[in-house]
Amino acid sequence: MARKLGQVIRLSATDLHLLDGLVEGSYEVAHGEDIIKQGDTPRFVHLVLDGVVCRNKVLPNGDRAIVGLLLPGDLCDLHIAILGRMDHNISALSDCRIVDIPHRKVAEMTSNSRQLSMALWWATLVDEAILREWLVGLGRRRADRRAAHLLCEILARLEAVGRGQDRMVPLGHQQLADVLGITSVHLHRVLGVLKSRDLIAQQDRRILVTDMAGLRDYGQFDPDYLHQDDNLSPLAEWVLAG
């Protein structure tokens, strides 16, 4: 999380110490388990240390819509410290390692550090930017290009926190189909298109990106919406300057 938040905001030794103090212990969550459910009133914010987690809504007929991916370094439900009740589920798409952070600790941390408070605001705004990009993809991108775009996003986010250098996508085919909102049969055709262009390969039942530049081009992937550079607005710079 320190590496993620430090992408855009310079964190002091004191800030890093405050972050270290959040992680007092972790626990395992198995693939398919819910970390927190819609309607719950949690006392903790959840931090992903390892694995892939998703935000999802379950329809009355049992169908599940995945509306967000959470990767190592991501906080799952920071907004619940304010809203108080979950309006969606947080579930593990793989075996995960999670940390529970009491709301009180989050409040104390943001009160004691203007930099960390701004960094958490940045992380929340990036989550919203990702959701906007997904909405654009669902409405305007063909499934094969949407898949290419999603694979690029996942790897870009992993690389930002020191993961993903092997260019292996940490999702199985069914999970990927669920995220894209298509059937497994449709996904098979979509992956066939990407394989035929030598953009990806299959390795150990996972997708290996073999041509990152080509995949970015095919998916029309522009990482600007991830805001991984160190460009803050003049207002944010003024606030940090105190």
Side-chain angles (χ1 to χ4, degrees), residues 183-194:
T183 66
S184 56
V185 173
H186 193 181
L187 178 70
H188 181 74
R189 293 197 296 268
V190 163
L191 296 182
V193 171
L194 301 183

Side-chain angles (χ1 to χ4, degrees), residues 29-240:
V29 177
H31 163 225
E33 289 187 7
D34 289 328
I35 296 169
I36 192 164
K37 295 182 179 180
Q38 181 172 340
D40 286 352
T41 53
R43 296 178 294 112
F44 303 99
V45 170
H46 299 87
L47 168 66
V48 182
L49 291 185
D50 286 300
V52 182
V53 171
C54 72
R55 303 185 194 278
N56 65 91
K57 299 275 286 188
V58 178
L59 302 179
N61 65 0
D63 288 345
R64 181 177 69 168
I66 293 178
V67 295
L69 287 180
L70 299 156
L71 304 175
D74 288 344
L75 291 165
C76 298
D77 41 17
L78 184 62
H79 61 288
I80 296 305
I82 298 173
L83 296 180
R85 181 167 53 84
M86 287 294 293
D87 55 27
H88 61 282
N89 307 299
I90 302 287
S91 309
L93 286 180
S94 68
D95 292 339
C96 297
R97 192 154 57 97
I98 303 294
V99 171
D100 288 348
I101 304 172
H103 291 170
R104 171 185 52 80
K105 281 198 169 187
V106 176
E108 290 174 354
M109 180 183 72
T110 54
S111 295
N112 291 328
S113 170
R114 184 178 290 137
Q115 283 76 14
L116 286 174
S117 180
M118 184 67 71
L120 292 180
W121 264 110
W122 169 84
T124 300
L125 293 172
V126 170
D127 283 347
E128 293 180 0
I130 291 171
L131 180 58
R132 287 193 293 273
E133 194 68 25
W134 281 30
L135 289 172
V136 170
L138 283 171
R140 289 293 181 263
R141 291 191 183 103
R142 208 171 60 203
D144 54 343
R145 296 191 186 274
R146 193 163 81 247
H149 193 281
L150 177 65
L151 297 180
C152 290
E153 178 191 299
I154 291 171
L155 290 181
R157 291 171 62 189
L158 287 173
E159 288 170 5
V161 294
R163 308 284 180 92
Q165 291 86 349
D166 58 2
R167 295 190 174 177
M168 191 76 72
V169 179
L171 287 175
H173 284 193
Q174 187 56 59
Q175 289 96 342
L176 189 57
D178 287 345
V179 173
L180 290 169
I182 60 179
T183 66
S184 56
V185 173
H186 193 181
L187 178 70
H188 181 74
R189 293 197 296 268
V190 163
L191 296 182
V193 171
L194 301 183
K195 288 177 185 176
S196 71
R197 293 175 172 269
D198 296 322
L199 302 176
I200 65 169
Q202 190 81 11
Q203 185 172 317
D204 299 327
R205 303 182 69 182
R206 286 289 186 270
I207 296 167
L208 172 67
V209 175
T210 54
D211 182 356
M212 194 70 217
L215 191 69
R216 285 182 174 221
D217 184 62
Y218 190 75
Q220 300 172 336
F221 178 74
D222 180 352
D224 187 57
Y225 70 99
L226 296 176
H227 298 279
Q228 290 176 334
D229 56 26
D230 57 357
N231 271 333
L232 291 177
S233 72
L235 174 60
E237 296 284 7
W238 178 78
V239 170
L240 288 175

Side-chain angles (χ1 to χ4, degrees), residues 9-21:
I9 295 176
R10 189 182 301 277
L11 300 179
S12 68
T14 301
D15 295 329
L16 295 175
H17 179 71
L18 287 171
L19 287 176
D20 285 342

